[in-house]
Amino acid sequence: SLGLKLNDDGAYDYFALKDISAGEEVLWDYESSEYEISTKFPCTCGAAKCRGILQGFRHHGQAVLELYGEEHVSPFLLENN
């Protein structure tokens, strides 16, 4: 899976949170950068602790922080938390 960090230009850099094997699918958690997702949709990550429906950090912030820590979510989300 991928993490994100705000860079010096005010955009995000994405980086691997673990080693990625050739041909492995790369996943990114929308709720680590989106406060509210107006068109909610089912997640297909397949993880045992999947949150099911992607709604945004507003709804699942604590779970997102437990997975990635404050370092790997959009800083503006922490201001609203």
Side-chain angles (χ1 to χ4, degrees):
S1 88
L2 297 176
L4 59 86
K5 283 189 183 181
L6 195 61
N7 65 28
D8 292 339
D9 296 323
Y12 295 109
D13 290 330
Y14 295 86
F15 59 95
L17 295 172
K18 64 178 186 77
D19 290 340
I20 301 171
S21 302
E24 181 179 353
E25 183 177 17
V26 177
L27 303 173
W28 164 53
D29 190 334
Y30 286 93
E31 292 186 329
S32 67
S33 65
E34 302 298 323
Y35 182 70
E36 181 80 42
I37 298 174
S38 60
T39 305
K40 298 161 183 56
F41 59 97
C43 182
T44 58
C45 73
K49 293 184 178 182
C50 180
R51 296 182 298 278
I53 301 292
L54 294 170
Q55 301 179 73
F57 189 85
R58 175 176 173 235
H59 300 276
H60 298 127
Q62 190 58 43
V64 172
L65 289 173
E66 287 174 13
L67 279 172
Y68 308 111
E70 290 185 6
E71 179 182 5
H72 303 296
V73 301
S74 176
F76 89 90
L77 297 174
L78 302 174
E79 296 170 7
N80 293 308
N81 193 21

